[in-house]
Amino acid sequence: MTVSHILGYPRIGAQRELKKVTEAYWKGDVSREVLEAEGQALRCANWQTQQDAGLDFVSVGDFAFYDQVLNVSVMLGAVPARFNAQQEVSKGNVDLDTAFRMARGRAPSGTPVAACEMTKYFDTNYHYLVPELHKGQVFTLASDRLFHEVDEALQAGFTPKVTLIGPLTWLWLGKAKGSEFDRLSLLDSVLDVYSEILSRLATQGIEWVQLDEPALVQDLPLAWQQAFERAYHRLQSAPLKLLVATYFGALGDNLSLATRLPVAGLHIDAVRAPAQVESVIDRLSPHQVLSVGLVDGRNIWRADLAALRERLLPVKVRLGQRLWLAPSCSLLHVPVDLAQETELDSELAGWLAFARQKLDEVVTLAKLIDNRATPIDELRVSEATRALDARRASARIHQPAVSRRLAAITAKDSQRQSSYAHRSVAQRRALALPLFPTTTIGSFPQTSDIRAARRAFKAGELSQADYETRMREEIAYVVERQEVLGLDVPVHGEAERNDMVEYFGEQLAGFAFTRFGWVQSYGSRCVKPPIIFGDVTRPVPMTVRWSEYAQSLTDKPMKGMLTGPVTILQWSFVRDDQPRATTCRQIALALRDEVVDLEKAGIQVIQIDEPALREGLPLRQHEWQAYLDWAVESFQLSAAGVADSTQIHTHMCYSEFNDIIGAIAALDADVITIETSRSNMELLDAFQDFAYPNEIGPGVYDIHTPNIPDVAWMVALMEKGLEKIPAERLWVNPDCGLKTRGWAEVEPALANMVEAAKQLRQRYA
Ligand code: GLN
Ligand code: ZN
C-alpha cells in the first residue's frame, strides 16, 4: 500500500486559538497550565484530524508555541548567554518563558533582554528565529518537550512520525556571532545531540523520523555538501528510520548527494520541481522510500486528482511499496480549513483546498493508485475534475482585454520618456524643492481611533459617507501637522489602509478575500493573504480621491502612495495557471492606470513601494536574473506612463542591496528611500560602488524603536551619506512608514529631522 503522510500541519488552530491563548499568557491573563493545556488540545485535535483523514502517520514535532526552528535551538541548548539560562540548559530543561524571551525579548517571567533576530524561512513568509552560533559552542540536549509530545500521541493511540529540522539546515539557518568562524566546525557537537534525540525517540517506539533539509534545494558550498554526507553517515546508526525531507525546489546539483545519503527515505517537492521525480528514482537505492510531494503545500488551489493519478501511475510501477505520498512541504504555509469560508461564493470555493482539504487529497490519491478507491474517493476525483474544468473555462478568470493589453506591451512602455538626467531638470523646475528635501515613507500613526472607525464601517455600524468623512478628517490633520513641521513633500498618511496589499487587492478585479484564511507569519502573528484567482484589472481609481483631497489642502507637492506590483504579488496566493510574471505584469498595468490618473489629478510625486522585491528572489542564484528581469519590468510598467516632470519614488525596507543593486538601478525610480539608520549608512556603499545615478533618501530615523533621534545624530548620519552621494541627490526621511508609532514620538522626531535638513542646507548649500 502507498503510504500517505504530511510534513507538518498548521498549529494555529482553525480559529487562531494558539494566537489567542499565547497572547493571553503573555499578558498575564491566563496561567501556564491553561497555555499548556490549550497547546495539548490543539495537538490532539490536529492528530485526530490527520488520523480521521486516513493518513498513515500523524505528525509530531510540528507544534510550537512560537517557532519550530526555535524549538530545535532550545532542544540543542543553543540559548545565548544573555538569557541567563545556563542552569536550565545544564539541567536539560529550558523553560518555556526562556524560549519566549528568545523570541520576543520578554516573557511573564525573567528579565527583558534583546530578542534573537528573526528572518524569513527560505522563500516563504514564515519567519523563524535565527540560531545564534559561537565559535567552539557545545550543544547538549536541553529540552524534553518533544519526547512528551511523542508520549502524548502514543498514549492517545496515534501512530506518530516525528518531524524535526535537520542538523545541517539548522546550522545553515544559523548565524555566526562574535568572531567569524566556520559554522560547520560545530557540526559534530550538534550531531551528538541529534544522535541522543534519535535514540530516545527509538526507545519511545518511534519508527520514522523526518529530518527537514530544505537547504538541499539551495546552492551549497562544497564543504556543506560534504558535511551532509558526513552527518548522515553518522546518524545512520540511529535505531530508527530517517526520512530526509527536501522542499521548495529542485535538488539540482545536490540530487546525487541527496540520493546517496544513507537514510531510509527521501521526500522531494514534485510541485515546484516536477521534472526531478524520474531522475531521483533512477538514483535511489533499491530499499529506499521516496515520498513524492505533489499536492501543493504553498498554495491554496484544489489538486487535479485525475491528472495527478495519471502522473503517478508510472511512478507507482517503478517504486511499488516504496512510494509515499505527501503535500510538497509542511501545510504550515496554507490556511487551516476551507469549510469555514461560508461567505466565499461556492464557485470560487470549489477551486480551493486548504490544509484540511489537502489531507483528503493525499489520502485519495494514495488509494487511487493502489486501486482501493472507495466511492467517496471516486466522488472526490469527479468533483475536483468538474470544479477545475469549470475554473479553466470560467468567465471570471480570463478577460480578453487583459491578454490583449499584455500582448501589446512594447519595450517603450517600460521606459520613461527621458533619462533621469533630463527628468531631474524638469522635476526641479516643477517641484522647486530645496536641497536635502524632507519627506516621509507614507503612513502616519494608525491610531486606535482610526482602527475603530474601520471596524465600525466593516461591521456596517458606520455608513460609507461617515467613514469617508472620518478619513478626510484624519487626512486633514496629517497634512496640517506636516505643514507645521515644515516637511517639503507631504503625504496623506494612509489612514484609509488596513494593510498595504489588502487595500489594493480589495479594489482590483481578480482578487478574493477569505474570512479565516490565516497563515502564521511569526509567533502569534498571522496574515490573511489575498487570493489572486483571475486576470487583474482596475475597475475604478483606488487612491486618487484621497490624494486629490490631500493636495487640495496644501501648496506643497503631495506625494501619492501605491504598493508596487511585485509586493502585491509576493504577499498574495497567486494563481497557478499562468506564470507569476504574467500575473505581475497584469497588476503592473492596473497600477499604471492609477499612476496616470494620479498625475492627471495634479499629483506630481508618486511613490510605488516595493518592500518585497528582494524576498521574491529565487532560492537558486542562477534563477535570479530571470526573476529580476520581469520584476523590474513590472515596476517600470507601473511607473513609466507619466511625464518627465512627474517624480516617481520607490521605497524598500530591507538591508541587503549589494547583490541586486543593478536591478535597483534598473527600476529607474527618480528617488529611492531605504532603511539605513541602523547600519550607520553602510548600506550606501552599494550605491556608491555602483555609481547609482538617481536620488536616494537614506533613512535617518529608525522607526522600529520608540526612541526620538536627535538633530546632531541625524546630521552626522547624513554627513556620512554625503561622503558617498552628492548633496543634490540626497533626501532626508525616516527609514519606513510611521503607522506603528504614536504621535507623541512622531512629532518631535520629525521636527528634529526637519531641523537636521535645515542645518545641512546651511552647511552644504
Ligand atoms: N508606504 C508604506 C508605509 O509607509 C510602506 C510600508 C513598508 O515599507 N512596508 O507604511
Ligand atoms: Zn519600509
Side-chain angles (χ1 to χ4, degrees):
M1 271 188 356
T2 304
V3 167
S4 53
H5 74 123
I6 58 171
L7 273 57
Y9 199 71
R11 51 192 172 240
I12 53 175
Q15 302 283 336
R16 285 182 297 158
E17 290 88 344
L18 188 62
K19 170 195 183 68
K20 290 167 194 161
V21 74
T22 34
E23 288 179 358
Y25 173 72
W26 293 336
K27 271 200 237 139
D29 292 347
V30 304
S31 66
R32 174 71 72 85
E33 289 67 38
V34 169
L35 176 69
E36 292 283 6
E38 181 71 30
Q40 179 168 15
L42 280 165
R43 289 192 291 273
C44 270
N46 287 346
W47 294 330
Q48 194 65 51
T49 302
Q50 293 165 51
Q51 190 183 55
D52 291 348
L55 292 170
D56 292 286
F57 296 105
V58 300
S59 179
V60 176
D62 51 359
F63 180 83
F65 278 111
Y66 204 96
D67 163 37
Q68 73 273 13
V69 178
L70 174 65
N71 278 6
V72 171
S73 304
V74 165
M75 190 151 41
L76 298 176
V79 183
R82 66 182 180 282
F83 296 96
N84 255 322
Q86 290 76 354
Q87 277 222 337
E88 294 167 37
V89 169
S90 54
K91 280 203 217 127
N93 198 5
V94 172
D95 190 74
L96 184 57
D97 273 5
T98 303
F100 282 144
R101 288 195 303 138
M102 289 170 72
R104 320 176 53 237
R106 59 182 64 216
S109 71
T111 330
V113 59
C116 297
E117 193 185 321
M118 195 164 63
T119 193
K120 294 199 179 201
Y121 190 63
F122 294 86
D123 64 349
T124 72
N125 259 324
Y126 176 82
H127 301 68
Y128 69 94
L129 285 150
V130 179
E132 292 182 20
L133 306 173
H134 294 273
K135 194 169 177 171
Q137 193 169 353
V138 176
F139 302 89
T140 65
L141 183 53
S143 167
D144 48 16
R145 242 166 213 285
L146 177 67
F147 311 116
H148 287 304
E149 290 176 13
V150 167
D151 276 338
E152 232 170 72
L154 289 169
Q155 270 159 28
F158 297 111
T159 308
K161 177 191 60 169
V162 170
T163 149
L164 270 180
I165 307 282
L168 269 311
T169 293
W170 183 81
L171 270 179
W172 182 249
L173 297 176
K175 217 167 157 179
K177 296 276 163 168
S179 59
E180 265 304 311
F181 71 98
D182 180 7
R183 287 170 290 168
L184 285 176
S185 64
L186 305 179
L187 181 60
D188 283 324
S189 179
V190 168
L191 290 175
D192 288 343
V193 185
Y194 269 83
S195 303
E196 198 179 338
I197 294 170
L198 295 177
S199 318
R200 278 201 46 186
L201 291 171
T203 329
Q204 288 181 287
I206 291 295
E207 185 192 0
W208 280 95
V209 174
Q210 164 195 323
L211 292 176
D212 285 17
E213 295 284 13
L216 282 168
V217 310
Q218 290 202 289
D219 301 316
L220 291 178
L222 183 63
W224 282 80
Q225 293 177 324
Q226 290 165 344
F228 263 96
E229 289 210 64
R230 186 154 61 84
Y232 281 90
H233 273 92
R234 233 195 102 180
L235 293 181
Q236 75 175 319
S237 59
L240 40 62
K241 296 178 188 156
L242 296 181
L243 176 77
V244 166
T246 68
Y247 43 80
F248 300 154
L251 288 164
D253 62 341
N254 296 322
L255 191 139
S256 54
L257 164 66
T259 50
R260 261 199 330 267
L261 296 177
V263 290
L266 182 67
H267 171 89
I268 56 170
D269 188 332
V271 174
R272 288 261 180 105
Q276 65 178 347
V277 179
E278 291 295 317
S279 31
V280 168
I281 299 176
D282 290 344
R283 286 177 178 75
L284 223 52
S285 67
H287 59 274
Q288 273 179 316
V289 158
L290 182 66
S291 165
V292 178
L294 83 187
V295 163
D296 197 346
R298 290 289 297 276
N299 216 331
I300 40 65
W301 303 106
R302 186 174 198 158
D304 188 343
L305 295 173
L308 291 180
R309 167 174 51 191
E310 293 313 303
R311 263 182 65 195
L312 272 173
L313 285 173
V315 177
K316 179 70 186 172
V317 169
R318 291 193 67 186
L319 288 171
Q321 301 297 321
R322 292 157 54 216
L323 174 63
W324 287 21
L325 287 186
S328 55
C329 60
S330 168
L331 297 172
L332 178 71
H333 309 289
V334 291
V336 180
D337 190 0
L338 182 65
Q340 300 190 99
E341 299 296 334
T342 47
E343 280 168 34
L344 261 187
D345 66 89
S346 59
E347 184 186 20
L348 182 61
W351 303 342
L352 308 178
F354 293 177
R356 173 66 194 83
Q357 287 68 40
K358 287 174 192 282
L359 304 182
D360 293 340
E361 292 179 340
V362 172
V363 170
T364 289
L365 265 177
K367 290 202 220 154
L368 282 173
I369 55 169
D370 289 352
N371 285 320
R372 54 186 172 97
T374 63
I376 294 183
D377 296 309
E378 295 297 352
L379 190 68
R380 279 186 193 147
V381 178
S382 55
E383 275 183 352
T385 303
R386 193 155 16 90
L388 294 174
D389 283 347
R391 180 181 163 204
R392 277 184 282 270
S394 171
R396 294 169 70 186
I397 293 196
H398 302 285
Q399 314 288 335
V402 173
S403 18
R404 276 199 301 275
R405 191 172 175 199
L406 234 67
I409 295 176
T410 64
K412 223 175 84 233
D413 295 326
S414 48
Q415 298 305 320
R416 297 286 297 271
Q417 286 164 11
S418 316
S419 67
Y420 165 75
H422 278 89
R423 297 194 309 261
S424 68
V425 176
Q427 290 165 19
R428 288 223 157 97
R429 203 176 305 127
L431 300 172
L433 294 171
L435 202 60
F436 300 106
T438 53
T439 190
T440 63
I441 307 305
S443 59
F444 268 77
Q446 280 265 337
T447 58
S448 48
D449 239 39
I450 298 175
R451 286 200 300 267
R454 183 155 36 249
R455 262 199 309 278
F457 172 53
K458 288 216 165 158
E461 291 152 17
L462 194 69
S463 72
Q464 169 89 31
D466 289 345
Y467 178 68
E468 298 258 329
T469 308
R470 185 64 199 79
M471 292 301 120
R472 281 176 173 245
E473 282 166 13
E474 192 60 38
I475 289 171
Y477 179 71
V478 167
V479 174
E480 189 248 343
R481 292 328 298 157
Q482 292 172 92
E483 285 277 318
V484 172
L485 286 162
L487 282 149
D488 301 306
V489 177
V491 296
H492 77 287
E494 301 180 23
E496 78 288 3
R497 301 182 193 177
N498 33 0
D499 171 273
M500 64 187 288
V501 169
E502 193 175 28
Y503 179 76
F504 291 94
E506 279 175 344
Q507 302 185 74
L508 290 167
F511 282 72
F513 289 84
T514 60
R515 272 200 68 190
F516 302 104
W518 299 101
V519 179
Q520 189 174 8
S521 169
Y522 61 88
S524 69
R525 226 186 112 98
C526 302
V527 293
K528 201 150 57 75
I531 296 172
I532 306 179
F533 66 87
D535 285 347
V536 177
T537 57
R538 185 200 65 146
V540 289
M542 304 180 283
T543 65
V544 175
R545 68 185 190 287
W546 304 120
S547 291
E548 208 171 14
Y549 172 64
Q551 181 66 83
S552 76
L553 303 170
T554 174
D555 296 331
K556 303 260 176 72
M558 176 60 52
K559 182 159 68 167
M561 202 60 57
L562 303 172
T563 302
V566 182
T567 299
I568 292 181
L569 183 88
Q570 204 56 36
W571 292 349
S572 302
F573 285 118
V574 176
R575 49 195 286 198
D576 61 351
D577 58 349
Q578 70 184 15
R580 290 172 78 78
T582 306
T583 305
C584 199
R585 285 193 188 95
Q586 292 183 357
I587 303 169
L589 291 177
L591 289 169
R592 180 186 183 96
D593 295 344
E594 185 75 10
V595 169
V596 169
D597 281 348
L598 280 169
E599 182 186 58
K600 273 191 211 143
I603 304 301
Q604 295 172 283
V605 182
I606 301 166
Q607 178 170 312
I608 305 171
D609 289 326
E610 284 290 22
L613 186 89
R614 185 171 213 289
E615 69 185 56
L617 282 175
L619 293 170
R620 291 281 193 173
Q621 207 139 5
H622 69 87
E623 294 168 6
W624 281 21
Q625 198 53 51
Y627 160 76
L628 288 171
D629 286 347
W630 62 254
V632 166
E633 190 214 351
S634 296
F635 178 89
Q636 292 172 328
L637 275 177
S638 64
V642 291
D644 283 349
S645 56
T646 297
Q647 188 170 65
I648 297 289
H649 289 218
T650 190
H651 165 72
M652 290 175 195
C653 42
Y654 44 74
S655 45
E656 252 317 315
F657 291 97
N658 280 305
D659 44 8
I660 57 163
I661 187 74
I664 305 248
L667 296 176
D668 197 23
D670 298 301
V671 182
I672 182 171
T673 56
I674 54 171
E675 177 188 313
T676 38
S677 61
R678 275 177 292 179
S679 78
N680 210 5
M681 298 283 145
E682 268 160 28
L683 290 173
L684 282 184
D685 292 349
F687 291 82
Q688 181 187 26
D689 296 345
F690 188 82
Y692 181 82
N694 303 7
E695 291 159 53
I696 311 177
V700 286
Y701 157 20
D702 177 4
I703 63 91
H704 303 90
T705 84
N707 304 342
I708 294 159
D710 64 38
V711 178
W713 159 259
M714 287 189 274
V715 169
L717 275 180
M718 288 301 295
E719 287 183 328
K720 278 228 167 75
L722 275 164
E723 291 165 15
K724 305 168 193 195
I725 313 285
E728 314 77 69
R729 289 198 279 114
L730 277 176
W731 285 63
V732 180
N733 47 264
D735 66 2
C736 197
L738 302 167
K739 69 174 167 222
T740 57
R741 297 264 66 93
W743 277 103
E745 304 145 15
V746 162
E747 291 221 54
L750 290 180
N752 287 357
M753 192 186 88
V754 170
E755 175 57 28
K758 281 190 188 138
Q759 294 187 7
L760 286 162
R761 279 168 210 154
Q762 275 162 12
R763 268 180 234 179
Y764 299 95

